[in-house]
Amino acid sequence: MRVLVVGGGGREHALCWKLTQSPKLTRLYAAPGNPGMAQLAECFPIPVMDIDGLVALAQRERIDLTVVGPEDPMAAGIADRFEAEGLRVFGPSQRAAEIESSKAFALGLMHKYDIPTADYAAFTDPEQAEAYLKRKRPPFVVKADGLAAGKGVVICPTIEEAREAVHEMMVQRHFGDSGGTVVIMDYLEGEEASILAVTDGEDIAVLAPAQDHKRIFDGDRGPNTGGMGAYAPAPVVTDAVLSDVRERVLLRTLRAMKAEGRPYKGVLYAGIILTADGPKVIEFNCRFGDPETQVVLPLLEADLLDLFLAACEGRVKEVSLPSPRRASACVVVASEGYPGDHRKGRPISGLEEVERIPGTVVFHAGTAQKEGRIVTSGGRVLGVTAIADDLRSAITRAYEAAGQIRFDGVYYRKDIGHRALKRT
Ligand code: AMP
Ligand code: GLY
């Protein structure tokens, strides 16, 4: 089978890495890919939003399956376009992807179908948003309705901060049209987890529960980022929690989407807070998480290509995934200054040394090839991932490996997995 992976980050490198383990794979393509993916796939410099270009590539290369990584093309209708051309694609339709691209839609759906989440209200008028804030008690969670690369969420301990967040989103349009509608959501207290499932719209195959680390600094301080590291399985997600999330969140959401005339196919990612009243959803994503994918796929003892085909062909019912027997950890190696301004083009060394450490794999995220060298080209540069029999060993191994990576301005968190380690 000829498979095309759309995207060029750590998540897509992990997808390529896992797909190459499938005996069914004959040829792997990526667009645009990155230097890490280029070792596994033939890369074409087509941007993820150039849907016409991607369709043309899939037709020309007779691609059997296209796997879409990021949310933007999903929200732009890439799956609908591919299907209209008779091309098989793994990912939700534009209307189904609204579960991520409109927080107001997702929250409305959850309330309508009794899927556990927080109270909220959605506004298109800043004055009404202010009036609502006055009636509620802090802390507030203010979210731009649309996509904002994970940055459109502000946790506000005071009403003044919430007012300012509303003003920045709705009036100053810090996130462009994404802030035309704003949702204000009650703050949920508890530990966070990412639960990802592959689905055909009817049934689900749930992957190892993971935990991301969104803040830039140790101890979960500082601004939010795309994710500074992850581990799986997250022990906070016990079997009881997982089966609860499966029934009351994931399956209920699929039935709800079907009832709304938006059948859902692809990855459904539930961002959960484990509150004193049980798991509650803070957001849905319509795609694999980054960096969750980098820890979840190495634990998957199944053929990923088969799993994607099962989702495309409505056969997920027949799939049964074994529970993960090992543990994995990913340390995101970033450029100093991220998520703010940071330098690019810094030569990276230590990649070959890390590849020699058993149970370790480096996923490229923000790298480029320049004059025969791998250099930094983004904020999150590499996802250094290790797998071991237990979580503590996986974390130790990931840090050993991350310590080998050198470039000017290298930065990574030193406490990935701290919550899980405290439990054991
Ligand atoms: P999101 O992009 O919706 O995942 O939000 C980014 C981060 O904000 C999440 O990872 C949480 O840490 C936090 N967050 C979002 N919504 C809530 C909420 N209702 N209560 C508490 N924390 C939240
Ligand atoms: N790691 C968070 C996300 O992918 O949205």
Side-chain angles (χ1 to χ4, degrees):
M1 276 208 149
R2 302 155 78 87
V3 178
L4 166 65
V5 172
V6 174
R11 162 183 52 208
E12 289 79 20
H13 189 181
L15 284 165
C16 286
W17 175 84
K18 188 67 191 170
L19 284 167
T20 54
Q21 295 171 13
S22 170
K24 290 207 175 91
L25 185 81
T26 52
R27 204 145 168 203
L28 188 60
Y29 298 81
N34 64 38
M37 293 164 79
Q39 294 169 13
L40 307 169
E42 191 176 346
C43 295
F44 290 83
I46 303 171
V48 300
M49 292 302 276
D50 180 3
I51 297 177
D52 289 336
L54 294 168
V55 165
L57 173 69
Q59 286 170 332
R60 193 183 67 231
E61 298 296 329
R62 302 183 325 276
I63 299 292
D64 299 299
L65 172 69
T66 298
V67 180
V68 185
E71 62 274 22
D72 293 296
M74 237 74 98
I78 190 170
D80 311 75
R81 275 293 310 284
F82 269 65
E83 275 169 9
E85 300 287 343
L87 294 164
R88 185 156 49 188
V89 59
F90 178 76
S93 69
Q94 186 170 35
R95 274 166 54 76
E98 263 187 58
I99 203 158
E100 172 167 1
S101 66
S102 168
K103 297 196 191 276
F105 168 73
L107 283 159
L109 185 88
M110 288 189 265
H111 280 267
K112 181 171 173 189
Y113 291 92
D114 200 23
I115 295 154
T117 184
D119 276 344
Y120 84 104
F123 301 96
T124 50
D125 173 1
E127 278 173 29
Q128 286 178 7
E130 291 229 3
Y132 179 79
L133 289 171
K134 280 194 198 128
R135 296 200 302 275
K136 301 284 285 189
R137 261 196 238 140
F140 305 100
V141 183
V142 179
K143 301 189 177 191
D145 179 60
L147 297 179
K151 298 185 182 96
V153 177
V154 191
I155 312 286
C156 308
T158 65
I159 187 160
E160 288 72 30
E161 287 160 271
R163 274 205 198 104
E164 188 172 325
V166 167
H167 187 77
E168 285 175 0
M169 287 180 195
M170 301 189 86
V171 182
Q172 298 180 328
R173 296 293 174 112
H174 279 198
F175 304 107
D177 287 345
S178 288
T181 300
V182 155
V183 301
I184 300 174
M185 190 180 180
D186 285 0
Y187 181 80
L188 295 171
E189 184 80 52
E191 216 176 299
E192 236 177 292
S194 307
I195 301 182
L196 282 71
V198 171
T199 180
D200 54 13
E202 298 284 340
D203 296 287
I204 53 175
V206 182
L207 305 174
Q211 193 169 64
D212 185 11
H213 300 64
K214 292 231 166 85
R215 306 293 198 96
I216 185 73
F217 299 127
D218 286 14
D220 298 311
R221 290 174 302 112
N224 263 329
T225 69
M228 293 304 293
Y231 64 91
V236 67
V237 182
T238 59
D239 288 349
V241 168
L242 196 58
S243 81
D244 187 23
V245 170
R246 188 187 159 82
E247 298 302 321
R248 288 198 306 140
V249 173
L250 298 168
L251 288 172
R252 213 175 265 186
T253 299
L254 293 184
R255 286 196 292 267
M257 291 296 278
K258 199 173 164 190
E260 294 292 312
R262 301 172 190 244
Y264 193 96
K265 177 192 77 189
V267 173
L268 182 61
Y269 163 147
I272 299 280
I273 303 253
L274 298 155
T275 74
D277 298 331
K280 294 192 178 177
V281 179
I282 51 169
E283 63 159 355
F284 282 116
N285 291 323
C286 67
R287 49 165 175 87
F288 278 101
D290 190 337
E292 287 93 333
T293 307
Q294 291 88 313
V295 290
V296 162
L297 293 186
L299 298 180
L300 180 67
E301 293 181 48
D303 182 325
L304 186 63
L305 181 47
D306 266 344
L307 187 56
F308 289 158
L309 292 172
C312 291
E313 291 163 6
R315 293 186 286 101
V316 174
K317 200 187 181 81
E318 298 162 18
V319 173
S320 108
L321 298 182
S323 298
R325 287 182 304 171
R326 306 187 78 199
S328 59
C330 170
V331 175
V332 170
V333 176
S335 302
E336 191 177 35
Y338 173 77
D341 289 341
H342 50 267
R343 302 275 186 116
K344 294 180 180 156
R346 300 290 171 89
I348 304 171
S349 60
L351 289 165
E352 295 81 18
E353 287 81 341
V354 174
E355 293 293 347
R356 277 188 235 118
I357 306 176
T360 306
V361 47
V362 178
F363 297 120
H364 288 232
T367 68
Q369 185 101 37
K370 195 177 148 196
E371 291 154 12
R373 292 207 67 173
I374 306 279
V375 301
T376 66
S377 72
R380 294 194 292 171
V381 178
L382 301 165
V384 178
T385 303
I387 164 161
D389 288 338
D390 61 83
L391 189 57
R392 194 173 288 276
S393 314
I395 292 169
T396 306
R397 191 172 279 182
Y399 274 114
E400 258 168 47
Q404 303 284 320
I405 302 292
R406 302 258 144 72
F407 57 84
D408 200 13
V410 66
Y411 170 77
Y412 53 87
R413 272 182 66 160
K414 306 289 185 298
D415 66 343
I416 299 306
H418 66 99
R419 288 205 176 76
L421 293 181
K422 258 176 229 133
R423 280 172 184 275
T424 51

